[in-house]
Amino acid sequence: MKLPIHYKPDLTNERLNIIAGILLEEYNKTLDDLNSDYDGPYTWGCTAFGRQRKRIIDLVISQKYPWLELSNSANDLVFKIGSVPCRFSTDNPNNPKKNATLIPNRYQQSMIDETANDEPCRFCFILDKGYNDDQEPRVVFLGFDAADVIKCEWKSDTVTTLHSVAPVVTPNAVEIGKPAVTPKRPSTDGDVDQAGEK
């Protein structure tokens, strides 16, 4: 299977890693935050999706990456990596079932119309948690042709799950003095020592 960059030069490994890092980081943070007896796949999925979507929107607005643009900020989010419209979903990349993976969005249609039949024209990041949601999550980026055949594939590596997209700031060292420790002694005014015991 060819890499997406073979067809679309805008889809570099670095750019795909940045988006994959966001999806993985927000998913993992959601699992950490929502760990009550009343949380489960539905609350995790909805919250993770909302956070991932908002994080991508905020990143576009920040203009940190000139190659990242927004086509549609609604719940059916479409963002562009260079000239390539992309979507994201939590799904099974080997047997996708979600609309974001399977159904072209209107903001992807112009690329579909302009691309040769045997080349990928629709792209989606898929957060993959394994067959029974029992594996370390990873991101798979798929490119589909007009007949919905997968023509290219990129997979995040395990390092991505530990990678933070935001820079890590190390605080300055703080000097701490020696603790004042004194032995227990009876006080001079009677029968109470320094600890207040008789």
Side-chain angles (χ1 to χ4, degrees), residues 4-174:
I5 196 170
H6 175 80
Y7 297 101
K8 304 291 182 188
D10 287 328
L11 300 176
T12 65
N13 187 59
E14 179 185 10
R15 294 174 180 182
L16 298 181
N17 259 319
I18 288 169
I19 301 301
I22 288 170
L23 299 176
L24 289 166
E25 188 174 331
E26 293 306 324
Y27 175 75
N28 289 326
K29 280 184 185 176
T30 299
L31 293 187
D32 288 343
D33 292 345
L34 303 181
N35 57 17
S36 79
D37 292 340
Y38 308 109
D39 288 307
Y42 181 80
T43 58
W44 297 327
C46 291
T47 305
F49 171 81
R51 290 177 177 186
Q52 291 161 334
R53 176 183 158 273
K54 184 72 168 83
R55 177 97 177 262
I56 291 171
I57 292 170
D58 287 354
L59 194 59
V60 172
I61 292 170
S62 77
Q63 298 182 341
K64 180 176 181 178
Y65 301 112
W67 48 264
L68 187 62
E69 296 178 28
L70 202 57
S71 298
N72 177 32
S73 63
N75 279 342
D76 55 341
L77 180 76
V78 179
F79 56 94
K80 289 168 80 174
I81 297 176
S83 63
V84 181
C86 303
R87 299 197 66 197
F88 77 91
S89 180
T90 300
D91 207 341
N92 178 350
N94 299 316
N95 186 21
K97 292 182 171 35
K98 303 275 182 77
N99 287 347
T101 310
L102 297 175
I103 299 175
N105 184 285
R106 66 178 186 238
Y107 292 97
Q108 295 173 298
Q109 195 60 50
S110 61
M111 178 168 277
I112 294 170
D113 295 341
E114 297 164 3
T115 306
N117 287 341
D118 61 339
E119 293 192 1
C121 56
R122 187 170 53 81
F123 296 87
C124 188
F125 288 88
I126 299 175
L127 181 70
D128 177 23
K129 299 179 289 179
Y131 181 70
N132 290 319
D133 294 346
D134 58 354
Q135 293 178 10
E136 182 72 19
R138 66 177 180 165
V139 172
V140 179
F141 183 69
L142 298 178
F144 299 86
D145 68 11
D148 295 329
V149 175
I150 297 171
K151 302 299 282 188
C152 60
E153 178 183 67
W154 174 91
K155 295 178 184 176
S156 65
D157 53 31
T158 53
V159 176
T160 305
T161 63
L162 304 173
H163 170 69
S164 174
V165 176
V168 177
V169 179
T170 305
N172 295 330
V174 177

